[in-house]
Amino acid sequence: MEPNQRLWDERVPIHVASDFYDVEGFLAGRCTLGALEREEVGPVEGRSLLHLQCHFGLDTLSWARRGARVTGLDFSSVGVQAARELAARGVNLAAARFVQSEVTLAHEVVEPHDIVFTSWGVLGWLPDIDAWARAAFACCRPGGLFYIAEIHPVAWLFEATPCPYFGRGRRFTEQTESTYADRSASLANTTEHFWCHTLGEILSALLSAGFVLEYVREHPFCCNDILPGMVKNDDGTWRQPDGGVDIPLAFSVRAHRPNEAQTPPSPRRPPRTLQG
């Protein structure tokens, strides 16, 4: 995790300055949340919302603008500091709170929230998907909502360097010279480690943690052009070009933590080596 943290620490100032994130546009009032997240999470006014793996906080602060009492959490101290500075610059955003922590330890540093939210490019950085789900459950108050929108694991099979679908907990390492937000940028920290989790493993982890799934949806669009040749839609999402391979590019899950009296027993998990 330490090389990944150094990588993200270095990426933060590049991302803050990038056209991709358009910080000035955000400060002028632009909402960084996609229509998918806004519609599926629903109204947040007056509710406490915890954003796990929040990077430098634009989506977190967009939820604050929609009326939530927000806490953002990320393992990058540079990202957390940048988020705090943006909150101080934004109108009516100074009450937003940002905490540095590795995500699987989130429940040790923040209290339970009404909504636990996370999105886009978060799970591949985690070696232990079960620990992530348990932490998310512990951060969600009884009766509270959990939501994730994420790149579909099938999509990674179509990258130039494909990620195997059945990673089975193995760590994969790549060298990266730039970043998705500014491909002209040159990085000093070029090593990144990642883990591939199947959709079945992700859903099973949430179920085993104790969540009750409300729905799982798969989508033919994504948050950015993760594959070559993708076309931008009018709503800012990206899809395969006409005639391209019709694959799921994203998925979303909405779930809730039962009230304590209604909490079902956690299902038994089969050994990872038998999954798939």
Side-chain angles (χ1 to χ4, degrees):
M1 299 299 287
E2 290 181 5
N4 284 350
Q5 187 169 349
R6 290 194 297 270
L7 177 69
W8 282 98
D9 285 348
E10 185 180 2
R11 280 178 169 176
V12 168
I14 297 171
H15 289 189
V16 170
S18 70
D19 292 338
F20 181 94
Y21 280 101
D22 184 18
V23 167
E24 294 305 317
F26 166 79
L27 291 172
R30 180 178 66 90
C31 178
T32 63
L33 299 164
L36 177 72
E37 303 98 274
R38 297 194 307 268
E39 293 170 6
E40 294 192 333
V41 171
V44 298
E45 187 171 0
R47 305 179 73 186
S48 61
L49 183 146
L50 172 64
H51 182 183
L52 300 178
Q53 294 170 272
C54 70
H55 196 20
F56 63 96
L58 290 187
D59 283 359
T60 320
L61 296 173
S62 289
W63 286 121
R65 280 183 175 158
R66 298 178 73 83
R69 304 187 309 275
V70 300
T71 300
L73 181 142
D74 199 87
F75 75 158
S76 168
S77 61
V78 181
V80 166
Q81 182 58 37
R84 290 170 178 163
E85 292 171 359
L86 283 174
R89 292 174 62 191
V91 177
N92 297 325
L93 297 178
R97 180 169 61 130
F98 290 93
V99 179
Q100 181 190 7
S101 173
E102 201 278 307
V103 66
T104 60
L105 302 176
H107 57 294
E108 297 183 5
V109 295
V110 298
E111 70 282 0
H113 285 62
D114 298 326
I115 301 168
V116 175
F117 169 86
T118 190
S119 69
W120 304 124
V122 291
L123 298 185
W125 304 100
L126 306 178
D128 190 339
I129 203 72
D130 293 296
W132 163 80
R134 290 192 298 269
F137 185 84
C139 289
C140 191
R141 70 162 180 80
L145 168 69
F146 170 82
Y147 179 84
I148 180 172
E150 176 62 299
I151 300 167
H152 202 293
V154 165
W156 298 124
L157 298 174
F158 294 84
E159 276 200 312
T161 305
C163 176
Y165 190 75
F166 295 105
R168 303 189 187 281
R170 287 187 295 141
R171 183 185 69 195
F172 299 89
T173 301
E174 285 187 353
Q175 300 300 314
T176 178
E177 296 182 356
S178 64
T179 172
Y180 63 89
D182 184 354
R183 294 189 172 99
S184 67
S186 180
L187 299 177
N189 294 286
T190 59
T191 300
E192 62 181 15
H193 303 289
F194 60 94
W195 294 261
C196 302
H197 309 289
T198 69
L199 187 59
E201 289 169 349
I202 296 164
L203 299 179
S204 294
L206 293 170
L207 288 168
S208 291
F211 283 113
V212 175
L213 300 184
E214 298 179 13
Y215 58 69
V216 181
R217 294 172 176 166
E218 298 173 287
H219 309 284
F221 55 81
C222 196
C223 57
N224 65 311
D225 53 339
I226 58 172
L227 303 177
M230 291 181 70
V231 177
K232 194 171 187 178
N233 297 315
D234 292 340
D235 63 1
T237 61
W238 293 78
R239 61 175 173 82
Q240 289 282 73
D242 293 341
V245 179
D246 189 13
I247 61 171
L249 295 171
F251 72 92
S252 57
V253 178
R254 181 179 163 114
H256 65 268
R257 175 172 175 166
N259 291 318
E260 296 300 346
Q262 301 172 331
T263 303
S266 296
R268 294 183 62 187
R269 291 288 305 278
R272 182 179 290 271
T273 54
L274 299 181
Q275 290 183 348

